[in-house]
Each structure stands twice: as structure tokens, then as C-alpha cells.
Amino acid sequence: MQGTRIRAVLRESTGNLWRELKIAFTPVPKPKKWVFIVGCYNSGTTLLAELMGRHPDISAMPTEGHFVTDQFVKDFDIGLPRMWVDREDLFRLTESDSGPDVIRIKKEWGMRLDLSKPVLLEKSPPNSARTRWLQKHFENAHFIGLVRNGYAVAEGISRKGNPKHIKDGWPIDRSARQWARGNEVLDQDSEYLKHFTWVKYEDLTGNPQSTLDQLAEFLGLQPFPALPEDEAFRIHERKDSVKDLNAVSIEKLTAEQIDTINEIAGDCLERFGYERLGGRQT
């Protein structure tokens, strides 16, 4: 038994040493632009990153950047998967904050990027809370804020918390607050950003080619290559063509849950142009 533990410790130590060597010999990325896709969980950020990574001038991280650096708090590690607003104090960073090792983050991300490309793209929903810090430390940073119907997002956050991460899933009130507060923080901080644009999930899924070409213009790039019709994309647990899944999610909500979302996130829904739904009949 003791020998098994010793071997496990040795494997971990060897893995850590190899990782540190890789970081040490990875050059610091120096792209023409860093691009950050930010927005609430379950808003389509993975889909958008997958689509944007097809541009010949863009190298996109194959996973969320906050998972592959030891410099940021991870929501899963503190028992708050998909729920960073519950500990906003641990995630929020502005240009006046210090702490994370910027060079190390760039190297950790650089190990997973094609550094020959002029544009490097990263997406992590918790980065919605640290856009101002990222702008200060990442050259020519451009931010794409992705927003999706709050009813569908709240349903998705609650559903995806169960059973793998949170027993019985997140209560709908906390999921709605994550959507509303997360977008509020991003909206407020966007006023300090030099290069920021909003994109709606509904526009992306309704006309992905047009949306991508608008983003190419925002980034000063040539238009995106034409998307093959009905191509399937693997997004987390499903593989499907690009389509708006809002109705599927909203259909799962009860009248009481809709009332709760309206109470917590109603103002934010209206801020982003989403119509309030009727819940409990009175």
C-alpha cells in the first residue's frame, strides 16, 4: 500500500516537473491581437470559439483557458461550477488589481496555441469578471461579449449542474442571478474597454456566416471562409448543426420557475431586448 502511494507521488512530481519545463521553454506569445470571448455559461461561447477558430489567421484555445492555468481561481475547485457570481470577490479583477502572473498565463496558454497565427483567441465565461485586467496585460485585446436569452441560460445552468457537479442541480433563482449579474458586470466593465462588441446567440445561430463576417470586420480580418451547410459541431455533450435551442430549454421551465427568473433577472432581460414571459396565471 505504501509503495502504491510512493509511486503515485513520484508520478505526480514527474508530471509537475515536465509541465514546468514545458512552460519554461515556451516562448511568450506576442500576437497582433488577443481576442477574448466572454459571456455567461451556456450562452454559446464554445460554439462561437469553434467557429472563429476556423479563420486562417486565428488560433483558438482547444479548451477554456482558466482550466489550464494555475493563476486563476477555478469555479469547480471551490464548489461553484458555473456559478462564479456567488464568489465575485474571487473572480473580479480590474486594471488596478495585481496578483496573477501574466507571463506564466501567456505561456500556459501559448503551449496550446499556434503562435504563428497573428490572432490568438481564448474563451472562458469567468473572464467576464476580469476584462479590464485582461485589457491591461494582453496586447491589443479585443472582447466579444456573447449574450443569450436568460430563460434558456438559467434552465441550462440548472440542468447541467445535475447530477455530475451539483446534487439535484442549481436552484433556478441562483442560475438566473448568475446570468443577470454576470452580464451586468460585463456590461459595466465594457465601458472601460477600447475594443468591445456584443453578439447575440440568437443572431449567431440564425445567421452564423453573417455574424462571423461582422466579427471579422471588428477584428480587422478578411471574411471567414464559407461554412459548410448543416455541418455538425461537437459542443460539450451533444453534436449537432448550428441551431437556436432556446425553445427547447424554455419548454422545460415551469410557470413558477419563469416567475422566479422574472423577479431576479427581469430588468436584465429587458436591457438586452428579451421579452418577459408570463409565468403563473393570476
Side-chain angles (χ1 to χ4, degrees):
M1 192 72 173
Q2 185 176 3
T4 300
R5 287 198 296 268
I6 291 173
R7 285 192 294 271
V9 170
L10 287 174
R11 282 196 299 271
E12 182 178 357
S13 299
T14 301
N16 291 337
L17 177 60
W18 177 241
R19 171 179 164 79
E20 292 304 316
L21 286 172
K22 287 180 68 178
I23 292 174
F25 285 98
T26 296
V28 179
K30 295 181 180 179
K32 291 183 178 179
K33 291 184 182 72
W34 282 94
V35 177
F36 297 95
I37 296 175
V38 288
C40 188
Y41 308 95
N42 211 57
S43 291
T45 56
T46 300
L47 172 62
L48 181 56
E50 167 72 17
L51 291 171
M52 292 189 68
R54 297 181 168 212
H55 194 286
D57 290 333
I58 296 176
S59 176
M61 288 279 292
T63 187
E64 295 181 5
H66 70 123
F67 287 140
V68 298
T69 177
D70 54 17
Q71 294 299 298
F72 290 145
V73 174
K74 298 176 180 60
D75 49 8
F76 283 83
D77 288 349
I78 60 172
L80 292 173
R82 298 176 177 267
M83 198 60 60
W84 67 258
V85 301
D86 275 17
R87 286 301 309 273
E88 186 176 325
D89 59 308
L90 297 180
F91 292 88
R92 188 79 178 272
L93 291 172
T94 70
E95 58 278 341
S96 62
D97 291 303
S98 60
D101 184 334
V102 178
I103 297 300
R104 185 175 177 87
I105 293 172
K106 289 179 179 179
K107 286 190 168 196
E108 288 172 318
W109 290 351
M111 290 191 297
R112 294 163 176 82
L113 291 164
D114 180 351
L115 302 186
S116 70
K117 299 291 182 71
V119 179
L120 303 182
L121 184 147
E122 191 277 341
K123 81 97 180 175
S124 295
N127 278 345
S128 299
R130 40 187 175 241
T131 55
R132 291 164 61 179
W133 184 88
L134 291 166
Q135 175 176 253
K136 179 179 179 180
H137 296 288
F138 286 76
E139 300 83 358
N140 199 15
H142 284 59
F143 298 88
I144 301 168
L146 188 61
V147 63
R148 181 183 180 186
N149 187 301
Y151 296 103
V153 172
E155 185 280 327
I157 291 174
S158 292
R159 169 170 43 85
K160 290 185 177 181
N162 177 41
K164 184 177 180 180
H165 305 306
I166 300 295
K167 184 180 179 181
D168 300 324
W170 290 114
I172 201 69
D173 59 331
R174 293 179 71 179
S175 298
R177 183 173 179 273
Q178 170 61 56
W179 179 82
R181 178 57 184 162
N183 282 310
E184 180 183 32
V185 168
L186 180 55
D187 192 32
Q188 291 173 349
D189 285 356
S190 70
E191 297 180 8
Y192 296 85
L193 304 178
K194 296 177 182 177
H195 307 289
F196 178 88
T197 189
W198 282 109
V199 171
K200 278 196 168 184
Y201 163 88
E202 295 78 16
D203 294 333
L204 174 65
T205 54
N207 195 333
Q209 189 69 54
S210 175
T211 301
L212 288 173
D213 288 342
Q214 290 174 31
L215 290 174
E217 184 176 356
F218 168 67
L219 297 173
L221 301 176
Q222 294 297 314
F224 277 77
L227 293 174
E229 292 187 9
D230 299 323
E231 181 178 3
F233 296 85
R234 181 166 297 281
I235 307 298
H236 300 306
E237 74 279 6
R238 55 183 296 277
K239 187 175 184 180
D240 205 346
S241 57
V242 177
K243 60 178 65 173
D244 186 334
L245 296 174
N246 283 348
V248 175
S249 290
I250 294 172
E251 183 74 19
K252 298 174 183 178
L253 295 170
T254 66
E256 290 75 18
Q257 287 177 319
I258 289 174
D259 283 335
T260 298
I261 294 170
N262 286 340
E263 180 180 353
I264 293 171
D267 290 344
C268 193
L269 284 162
E270 293 179 356
R271 154 72 181 85
F272 286 100
Y274 294 108
E275 181 180 357
R276 291 199 195 208
L277 301 179
R280 189 183 300 109
Q281 298 296 317
T282 58

